[in-house]
Amino acid sequence: MKAVVIQSYGTPDVLSVEEVEKPTPGKGQILVRVEAVSVNYADIVRRRNDPYPVPTPLPAILGGKVAGHVEALGEGVANFAIGAPVFALLGGGGKGGYAQYAVADVGQVMPLPAGFDLDIACTLVVAGVTAYQTLKEAGRIESGESVFIPGALGGVGSYALQLAKHFGAGLVIGGAGSAARCEEVLRRGADHAVDYTADDWPDQVKRVTGGKGADVVLDMAGGKLFQQSLAALAPFGRLVVYGSASREPSTLIPKILMPQNQTVTGYYVANWFAGRPQRSIEAFKALVDLIRTGKLDVAMAGRLPLSGAAEAHRTMETRQAVGKLVLKPWLET
Ligand SMILES: NC(=O)c1ccc[n+]([C@@H]2O[C@H](COP(=O)([O-])OP(=O)(O)OC[C@H]3O[C@@H](n4cnc5c(N)ncnc54)[C@H](OP(=O)(O)O)[C@@H]3O)[C@@H](O)[C@H]2O)c1
């Protein structure tokens, strides 16, 4: 089968298509014919060998979230039909998703409704569930509250923009890194957009929230943006840290949260699935339903063949993408 293999860490040029052996499902596993695999920030971090919660031994096939059809069942697996559409979270050091076939543990495979768009399906967990749970579980968003969403054109952010409205947010403020991208954030339904390359962006958030700040503030960058996010937080507000894209350290002196009863909390999707699987699966199912019924319109930045993996990484790294990028392993170049 064809797969994108990295033989060394480095720039996007290390991503190259190779012929590799088709994997075989072991006991309790399912072989998935991959129709679409999402390109996620974690793949970039792994490719660069930047610090990450789990190591990526070489050679590696990146990509941890795939959608496709059940191709074969390993020993002891009976509850999936061959050919059924599924979403799968892949295990293992490199993950194995930028490939025509991938193996997943049966507990990490979720059925999809017949006819569900598989390009969208592969974005459901990292982008969709992260957006859903940062707002609802970690952010405890309530009807009528205001929310600040940075990276509002990114994978997680573009889901979060729409989900915030779905959860009844009274005011949705999207953040982006240029005036032109802010225009796009407004076109995508935010009530306000702020360019966080301007140092006074927390003041702008305060202005549009009547001087209070946002009730829920998401942070995916850390460093300077984290410090500014604290300044943009309302009394009783929840600041949810779910990424550190800037790679800069963040500083928190807990006592500053005390006077205004504020909360700073973290979110990591993999450990939600591991530690609270039922609630994560509920979020997944809710997203499937919202998309199936046309209530959520997932922003797609592009669909590329495996040979487009390097281009996809470059587009994300240079912050040009609007929505999710997916690779289609059976698409010819
Ligand atoms: N904790 C979790 O479970 C979890 C799950 C998914 C993702 N994440 C993390 O969340 C972050 C966003 O993921 P994503 O999939 O939404 O990525 P993405 O699609 O690449 O979007 C990220 C957006 O963030 C903005 N941004 C702001 N500061 C940035 C910086 N220093 N470097 C790069 N982009 C920056 C960019 O938009 P502008 O140029 O307009 O600012 C970019 O479009 C990543 O750090 C990722 O690791 C964490």
Side-chain angles (χ1 to χ4, degrees):
M1 68 165 186
K2 287 192 170 58
V4 177
V5 183
I6 61 166
Q7 301 285 358
S8 59
Y9 306 114
T11 66
D13 298 329
V14 300
L15 297 157
S16 70
V17 179
E18 293 182 15
E19 276 297 328
V20 301
E21 207 172 314
K22 182 176 167 183
T24 313
K27 191 173 175 188
Q29 291 187 321
I30 289 181
L31 179 68
V32 179
R33 180 189 146 104
V34 180
E35 303 296 346
V37 51
S38 54
V39 179
N40 292 305
Y41 210 81
D43 306 342
I44 290 170
V45 174
R46 284 167 171 277
R47 191 208 71 222
R48 293 177 183 155
N49 202 27
D50 281 350
Y52 193 71
V54 280
T56 308
L58 295 176
I61 299 173
L62 301 176
K65 280 81 194 167
V66 304
H69 296 104
V70 174
E71 177 77 9
L73 305 177
E75 189 191 328
V77 181
N79 51 340
F80 280 88
I82 302 295
V86 289
F87 168 88
L89 285 170
L90 308 179
K95 297 290 184 182
Y98 291 6
Q100 290 180 316
Y101 295 96
V103 158
D105 293 338
V106 65
Q108 305 291 303
V109 180
M110 286 166 255
L112 292 167
F116 195 86
D117 184 331
L118 296 177
D119 297 354
I120 288 174
C122 73
T123 75
L124 279 169
V125 166
V126 161
V129 173
T130 298
Y132 194 100
Q133 294 194 306
T134 50
L135 290 169
K136 199 174 168 65
E137 301 277 12
R140 305 191 313 278
I141 192 161
E142 288 180 21
S143 184
E145 287 193 322
S146 55
V147 55
F148 173 73
I149 299 166
L153 299 182
V156 177
S158 56
Y159 264 100
L161 267 192
Q162 292 181 64
L163 285 169
K165 291 269 179 188
H166 170 72
F167 293 138
L171 192 75
V172 177
I173 308 156
S178 69
R181 283 172 74 78
C182 283
E183 290 294 321
E184 186 60 25
V185 170
L186 291 173
R187 275 194 291 277
R188 289 183 173 266
D191 299 308
H192 291 280
V194 301
D195 176 352
Y196 40 50
T197 60
D199 277 344
D200 74 338
W201 73 263
D203 297 333
Q204 295 179 42
V205 170
K206 285 210 158 148
R207 235 179 348 261
V208 297
T209 51
K212 193 170 84 117
D215 298 304
V216 177
V217 174
L218 306 185
D219 174 36
M220 44 67 64
K224 187 175 171 189
L225 278 184
F226 172 79
Q227 311 307 145
Q228 292 170 318
S229 297
L230 276 174
L233 192 64
F236 293 91
R238 286 83 63 201
L239 166 52
V240 183
V241 175
Y242 75 92
S244 55
S246 74
R247 301 275 145 205
E248 294 165 11
S250 306
T251 308
L252 177 65
I253 297 164
K255 73 175 182 189
I256 68 159
L257 303 172
M258 213 167 54
Q260 302 296 345
N261 296 291
Q262 293 165 316
T263 303
V264 174
T265 186
Y267 175 86
Y268 182 46
V269 66
N271 284 344
W272 259 90
F273 270 92
R276 304 272 191 282
Q278 207 43 48
R279 297 243 286 281
S280 301
I281 289 164
E282 275 166 25
F284 179 88
K285 287 183 175 165
L287 286 166
V288 167
D289 241 37
L290 287 170
I291 293 165
R292 202 176 44 77
T293 53
K295 292 184 186 129
L296 192 75
D297 175 24
V298 179
M300 297 297 277
R303 300 164 165 85
L304 299 164
L306 288 180
S307 58
E311 182 189 333
H313 278 221
R314 272 189 215 102
T315 305
M316 276 184 78
E317 280 181 297
T318 53
R319 297 165 66 164
Q320 291 176 62
V322 175
K324 284 303 300 176
L325 281 158
V326 306
L327 299 179
K328 308 262 306 160
W330 296 91
L331 200 65
E332 292 298 327
T333 29

